[in-house]
Amino acid sequence: MMFAHPLLELTADSSCCPCLSFSLHKETSKASMLGANLTIIHPTVFILLGIPGLEQYHTWLSIPFCLMYITAVLGNGALILVVLSEHTLHEPMYVFLSMLAGTDILLSTTTVPKALAIFWFHAGEIPFDACLTQMFFIHVAFVAESGILLAMAFDRYVAICTPLRYSSILTPMAIGKMTLAIWGRSIGTIFPIIFLLKRLSYCRTNIIPHSYCEHIGVARLACTDITVNIWYGFSVPMASVLVDVALIGISYSLILQAVFRLPSQDARHKALNTCGSHIGVILLFFIPSFFTFLTHRFGKNIPHHVHILLANLYVLVPPMLNPIIYGVKTKQIRDSMTHLLSVVCKS
């Protein structure tokens, strides 16, 4: 999980700035620290190592990584195309599903191409600003995906618990407001992290033992105090996700109560079947997230390369499987996908 890294408080006095073997550019802040000016040092580039400890297997690892990435992009792209092209799928459930597919493409595309460049060409260099940009989009996609899953849970709650009011509650305007809220919260939550990283002075090393940039991993390279980064980077995004998990749990507890009050078994089965694919996607997103977090927090004896490998699989496996789960479980999407493929083949 992107925010799950060992919480380590690194403190150094303002004189800790040894010479570096890589190019630096300096930005001088006029703020006073103990009567002296504070000089902020940013490295020109960072060096991503890929998966440290498994360097000899990078070429072999790149094969499943590349195949999973292609599957994720094609699957989610086809899902978005089907939803856009089929008028019968212009419903709130499928709108949220297309948003989820777009977020999956964003998450995997932000990370995997750079990892493949490291595996194939040893191209580990990444400019400082590009590193922060990559970090920003990774974390924004993570928080946004959690919010989209909450919106999908609300959609299922309204459809099952108050079906007669479904069209009056989930209007196009309501969906637009929910979309703005999801992305506004994601961007607003993560945007301060950029400034938290830019205020730090980096004079330890420019080597990141990872295949992509993430907040705490970059902050730990600083020679200044990162306490604020640790607390903000861990508590604020995690609080957002935990609120989503709690609300999703409440939604599905109410859904189950409504389902088991239905008179016929066929009606119960049909209602549960409409939620099956969504529950599968929720589990696929949150279980690896919390498992990765717990292994980072408490798995002190787990090798570092296992943590990095899990983090890479986390940005690959859910985006790859989500369109497959919905394609298999949702008849409308399955039929629309078959129709689209037949049209493409005929042309």
Side-chain angles (χ1 to χ4, degrees), residues 34-217:
L34 299 178
N37 288 336
L38 174 65
T39 300
I40 299 176
I41 305 174
H42 293 162
T44 303
V45 296
F46 286 120
I47 308 295
L48 294 167
L49 296 183
I51 306 178
L54 297 180
E55 289 87 354
Q56 66 271 32
Y57 302 111
H58 275 180
T59 302
W60 294 106
L61 286 170
S62 68
I63 297 173
F65 273 49
C66 184
L67 292 176
M68 286 190 286
Y69 175 64
I70 293 172
T71 303
V73 172
L74 292 179
N76 286 289
L79 192 56
I80 294 171
L81 183 61
V82 165
V83 172
L84 290 175
S85 60
E86 292 290 335
H87 292 289
T88 58
L89 299 181
H90 291 179
E91 298 178 6
M93 172 183 173
Y94 302 108
V95 172
F96 292 133
L97 180 57
S98 63
M99 286 173 55
L100 183 70
T103 307
D104 281 337
I105 292 175
L106 173 65
L107 180 61
S108 56
T109 300
T110 304
T111 55
V112 180
K114 183 60 180 179
L116 293 177
I118 296 170
F119 295 162
W120 288 337
F121 310 113
H122 306 288
E125 289 191 358
I126 182 169
F128 178 78
D129 289 332
C131 183
L132 296 191
T133 302
Q134 184 189 50
M135 177 274 305
F136 174 77
F137 282 112
I138 291 170
H139 294 324
V140 163
F142 174 79
V143 178
E145 190 150 339
S146 176
I148 293 168
L149 291 174
L150 174 59
M152 294 172 75
F154 178 71
D155 169 80
R156 292 300 84 203
Y157 165 76
V158 175
I160 292 173
C161 297
T162 59
L164 298 179
R165 300 178 57 201
Y166 182 81
S167 58
S168 62
I169 293 175
L170 288 172
T171 62
M173 182 174 290
I175 294 172
K177 290 179 179 179
M178 292 170 70
T179 302
L180 288 175
I182 289 168
W183 288 101
R185 184 191 69 162
S186 303
I187 294 171
T189 299
I190 303 303
F191 198 69
I193 292 177
I194 295 177
F195 297 99
L196 290 177
L197 289 173
K198 277 184 168 290
R199 73 184 179 88
L200 299 176
S201 187
Y202 300 88
C203 53
R204 294 183 185 277
T205 179
N206 67 334
I207 296 175
I208 301 176
H210 209 303
S211 60
Y212 57 80
C213 297
E214 54 81 36
H215 176 210
I216 299 300

Side-chain angles (χ1 to χ4, degrees), residues 219-240:
R220 289 175 63 189
L221 303 180
C223 56
T224 45
D225 182 44
I226 64 168
T227 303
V228 176
N229 294 71
I230 290 172
W231 282 106
Y232 187 92
F234 173 76
S235 60
V236 176
M238 279 303 299
S240 300

Side-chain angles (χ1 to χ4, degrees), residues 248-281:
I248 289 171
I250 293 171
S251 296
Y252 270 97
S253 65
L254 296 174
I255 288 171
L256 290 176
Q257 290 178 19
V259 167
F260 289 121
R261 284 198 300 264
L262 294 174
S264 68
Q265 185 174 355
D266 289 341
R268 288 195 294 269
H269 181 267
K270 183 178 180 180
L272 289 174
N273 190 55
T274 61
C275 299
S277 53
H278 184 228
I279 293 173
V281 170

